[in-house]
Amino acid sequence: MVNRTRLALRSSHETDLKNMLFHCDNLECIDYLIANGFENKVDLVYIDPPFLSGERYFHRIDNDSSLAFEDLWKQSKYLEMMYARLVGIRKLLSSAGSLFIHLDWHAVHYVKIMMDRIFGPENFRNEIIVKRGRRKNLQYQFDSIDKMHAAYDSILWYSKSSDAKFSLPLAEHRSEAKWMGFWSNVNRPTMRYEIFDFTPARGQWKWAKERALKAIGNYRLYEEKFSQMTLEEYWEATGKKLEFIRKRASVKYAEYWIPPKTHRIIDNVWLDIEAYNYSTGYGTEKHAELLERIIGQFSKEGSLVADFFCGSGTTLATASKLSRKWIGCDSSPAAMAVTKKRLGSANFEVININ
Ligand SMILES: C[S@@+](CC[C@H](N)C(=O)[O-])C[C@H]1O[C@@H](n2cnc3c(N)ncnc32)[C@H](O)[C@@H]1O
């Protein structure tokens, strides 16, 4: 088995890196990768480790159910286990790389403190809130509660270095074009100038004078020569760059045009997408939508993505779909079986370190 491992790892130095699925304890996998040239090579790691939930998880298909993995840790042992893996993952990350750790209230605050120690608090980027799986709020049947129903998971995002920058994270979101008042009650006298024969006595116009005059000219030209098309059509035909300001007789202040939008910049509350899925029968399967957002927004095509608690293989399948290379690892035979089936004919090597 070791020979096969060496074979696969050798190809990491070539541009045509093979995807690798490790079936072993992930600490062995991480150490092996470090020893075989993968230090500073991984661009994005997503891990979804046991949550310290005190539960057993199963793989269910039809009426059959087999144990997938146990999450029956004592807190101190759990944190020791996580510490060793997080230190190793940090070594594997490239200088612009990121780690996303999916947890819930059981361990997230302890792991946050541990991560601040290992990665440095300056490398903490966000705590991302995602939807919890199908867990009904059972409290309707009681008259009193000891605590509220927990309805979200947290994903901690850390980068390896504090100067790493990322493209704006976008989600599809359509909004119509609209006109808005050009006056604002922010009070900068330098931004009070005359347009349409009027100078505001207080507040200010929203843009500097030169920009505003240009936008007034743009709208005049549209009205005089191109009003057979809609303003939106004109804006599209002119390269989606022009700005417009107009004055209507019935409206007190001038108005500026806000173009239609197809996307919005996302923040750290991701309740618009699913975090869990139930497509493979693997008890804690995460949703491809979640991994598409993480991998798609925070890594580039061709980069190397890893998941050292890969379970049913959601990260690996998504990385393949998005043209990233990947490394996966899980110690559970059930996880291996589901992942191999799911990845089907995808080009990867299975590696057992024993
Ligand atoms: C919450 S599940 C991951 C689910 C996965 N994200 C998915 O979409 O299916 C956690 C996984 O970590 C694996 N695991 C736990 N401890 C491990 C270890 N020390 N080494 C490798 N895998 C481990 C378990 O077998 C389990 O499959």
Side-chain angles (χ1 to χ4, degrees):
M1 286 305 176
V2 169
N3 285 344
R4 290 191 55 186
T5 308
R6 294 235 165 89
L7 190 72
L9 292 174
R10 252 207 315 270
S11 64
S12 70
H13 304 293
E14 296 157 16
T15 43
D16 189 21
L17 170 69
K18 275 200 180 109
N19 298 320
M20 290 178 278
L21 179 61
F22 285 79
H23 182 197
C24 57
D25 186 287
N26 49 21
L27 190 56
E28 288 181 68
C29 165
I30 290 165
D31 286 346
Y32 214 91
L33 289 168
I34 292 170
N36 283 275
F38 281 82
E39 208 162 327
N40 301 316
K41 291 285 191 293
V42 181
D43 302 300
L44 185 146
V45 178
Y46 167 84
I47 54 168
D48 173 27
F51 283 9
L52 193 59
S53 66
E55 290 182 27
R56 288 189 171 82
Y57 296 92
F58 295 87
H59 177 221
R60 295 195 166 89
I61 345 172
D62 303 327
N63 292 327
D64 208 22
S65 169
S66 58
L67 183 69
F69 69 101
E70 292 183 330
D71 183 0
L72 304 173
W73 295 85
K74 268 194 171 159
Q75 191 194 70
S76 58
K77 288 282 168 208
Y78 174 86
L79 294 176
E80 270 173 37
M81 179 278 286
M82 288 299 289
Y83 187 85
R85 282 142 187 91
L86 294 171
V87 167
I89 289 172
R90 186 175 178 282
K91 291 186 184 152
L92 292 174
L93 278 177
S94 63
S95 57
S98 285
L99 167 60
F100 293 81
I101 313 171
H102 193 144
L103 291 165
D104 76 359
W105 61 272
H106 290 91
V108 67
H109 304 100
Y110 300 101
V111 174
K112 167 77 173 61
I113 289 165
M114 187 186 277
M115 281 296 293
D116 280 350
R117 277 216 307 275
I118 301 170
F119 276 63
E122 70 282 10
N123 291 315
F124 171 66
R125 299 293 169 142
N126 282 110
E127 175 178 356
I128 300 163
I129 301 303
V130 297
K131 277 187 207 169
R132 220 165 154 79
R134 268 186 217 148
R135 291 188 197 199
K136 274 194 184 160
N137 185 344
L138 299 173
Q139 293 177 335
Y140 289 101
Q141 55 192 308
F142 304 114
D143 293 331
S144 62
I145 56 165
D146 53 3
K147 60 182 177 186
M148 285 185 279
H149 173 70
Y152 70 88
D153 289 351
S154 296
I155 300 177
L156 300 176
W157 173 25
Y158 279 80
S159 58
K160 180 144 177 191
S161 81
S162 57
D163 42 51
K165 291 272 181 276
F166 303 87
S167 312
L168 285 178
L170 300 174
E172 273 183 26
H173 175 81
R174 301 213 151 263
S175 69
E176 300 295 316
K178 59 183 175 192
W179 288 97
M180 292 281 287
F182 190 55
W183 182 83
S184 135
N185 61 2
V186 181
N187 208 5
R188 271 190 295 174
T190 53
M191 297 277 277
R192 294 199 282 263
Y193 46 84
E194 185 181 318
I195 52 173
F196 302 111
D197 301 323
F198 175 74
T199 307
R202 61 184 186 84
Q204 64 168 76
W205 297 128
K206 290 207 167 162
W207 303 337
K209 186 172 179 182
E210 200 183 334
R211 183 176 170 195
L213 294 180
K214 206 165 176 196
I216 291 170
N218 290 340
Y219 191 71
R220 272 200 193 119
L221 182 68
Y222 160 73
E223 276 205 313
E224 282 164 21
K225 299 216 168 125
F226 299 99
S227 58
Q228 73 282 8
M229 54 171 101
T230 65
L231 184 60
E232 194 168 323
E233 286 165 347
Y234 178 61
W235 174 74
E236 279 174 0
T238 50
K240 297 187 174 180
K241 288 204 171 64
L242 295 182
E243 296 179 318
F244 305 102
I245 293 178
R246 72 178 181 188
K247 175 78 180 78
R248 285 188 294 157
S250 54
V251 180
K252 184 173 176 193
Y253 293 120
E255 299 168 313
Y256 73 110
W257 191 72
I258 300 180
K261 289 197 175 67
T262 52
H263 288 85
R264 67 181 174 87
I265 300 174
I266 55 174
D267 57 30
N268 66 341
V269 180
W270 292 7
L271 300 180
D272 56 322
I273 56 169
E274 295 300 327
Y276 284 77
N277 201 1
Y278 307 91
S279 70
T280 63
Y282 198 80
T284 53
E285 179 187 338
K286 298 303 176 291
H287 206 289
E289 256 186 342
L290 173 67
L291 273 304
E292 273 176 33
R293 180 165 284 181
I294 293 175
I295 295 171
Q297 302 283 351
F298 303 105
S299 74
K300 296 190 172 67
E301 254 186 45
S303 58
L304 179 57
V305 170
D307 183 345
F308 297 104
F309 296 84
C310 72
S312 68
T314 313
T315 306
L316 318 181
T318 309
S320 280
K321 183 177 164 196
L322 298 180
S323 308
R324 272 69 166 168
K325 300 284 180 185
W326 54 259
I327 299 170
C329 177
D330 206 290
S331 52
S332 154
M336 279 296 117
V338 178
T339 296
K340 285 182 196 167
K341 186 168 170 210
R342 186 171 187 183
L343 293 169
S345 58
N347 177 26
F348 64 94
E349 174 123 4
V350 179
I351 298 162
N352 295 280
I353 305 176
N354 278 315

